[in-house]
Amino acid sequence: DRERAVVLGLPLGCRIRENAKILNPEKFVCGNNVWIGEGAILDAQGGLEIGDYSQIGLYVMVWSHSSHYQALGSQTGKGKGKIMYKKTSIGKNCFIAGHSVIAAGVTLGNKVVVLPGSFVDKDLPDNAVYGTNLEIKNLYSKIEALESEIEKLKNR
């Protein structure tokens, strides 16, 4: 792990597991003591920054570009004009659990925890705990509260 990090030019104390991949490493800014799990894909094409002591779990994908506009515009293989590039930032002391995806252009504050299997497509403040399932549970709670209010209004 540490030897692989040294070969890739990562800073002091970093470790990178097998089958992890860094796209455009020249645009990757990595803090000290970062751990990158097996099979992780770190896309730095639009710029990627990861702060000190952060951990990127197994098979996590962190993106800084998206080619969906290229596909939707029938431009696949015709050029890069429709590809969107956005800098993605992960703060210090973050934990991104395995099989999660961080979308292009997202900024995570310091000490953010992303729960397993999450898709993060919005910025998160310092000390946030985020999980796709948590977001769904919060939506269901809001729906239940609204339905209760509607029933009260009907019974007036």
Side-chain angles (χ1 to χ4, degrees):
D1 290 1
R2 290 191 195 282
E3 294 82 12
R4 194 173 297 104
V6 169
V7 168
L8 292 172
L10 298 180
L12 177 69
C14 289
R15 295 176 14 204
I16 184 168
R17 299 286 298 154
E18 296 86 6
N19 300 316
K21 187 172 188 176
I22 301 170
L23 307 176
N24 282 81
E26 66 277 4
K27 294 183 180 180
F28 179 45
V29 177
C30 185
N32 293 322
N33 300 297
V34 169
W35 184 83
I36 301 166
E38 178 149 353
I41 299 174
L42 305 180
D43 165 30
Q45 293 178 74
L48 175 59
E49 196 170 309
I50 299 176
D52 297 341
Y53 299 101
S54 287
Q55 295 181 19
I56 308 300
L58 305 174
Y59 301 100
V60 165
M61 292 184 281
V62 181
W63 298 108
S64 66
H65 90 284
S66 178
S67 60
H68 67 281
Y69 291 123
Q70 187 183 50
L72 295 172
S74 300
Q75 295 299 306
T76 301
K78 294 183 178 181
K80 294 186 175 187
K82 295 266 185 185
I83 297 176
M84 174 190 69
Y85 297 93
K86 291 184 177 181
K87 182 180 177 183
T88 303
S89 298
I90 296 172
K92 296 178 181 179
N93 302 94
C94 291
F95 179 82
I96 314 300
H99 291 87
S100 292
V101 177
I102 310 299
V106 167
T107 296
L108 304 184
N110 297 318
K111 297 185 178 182
V112 169
V113 173
V114 175
L115 299 177
S118 294
F119 177 71
V120 183
D121 63 350
K122 64 180 182 178
D123 295 348
L124 298 175
D126 290 351
N127 304 304
V129 175
Y130 180 88
T132 300
N133 288 336
L134 288 177
E135 293 295 305
I136 292 169
K137 286 179 184 177
N138 288 339
L139 286 175
Y140 282 131
S141 295
K142 289 177 183 178
I143 290 169
E144 288 175 5
L146 287 171
E147 288 174 341
S148 176
E149 287 300 314
I150 290 169
E151 281 302 313
K152 287 178 188 175
L153 291 171
K154 284 182 183 177
N155 293 328
R156 278 187 168 178

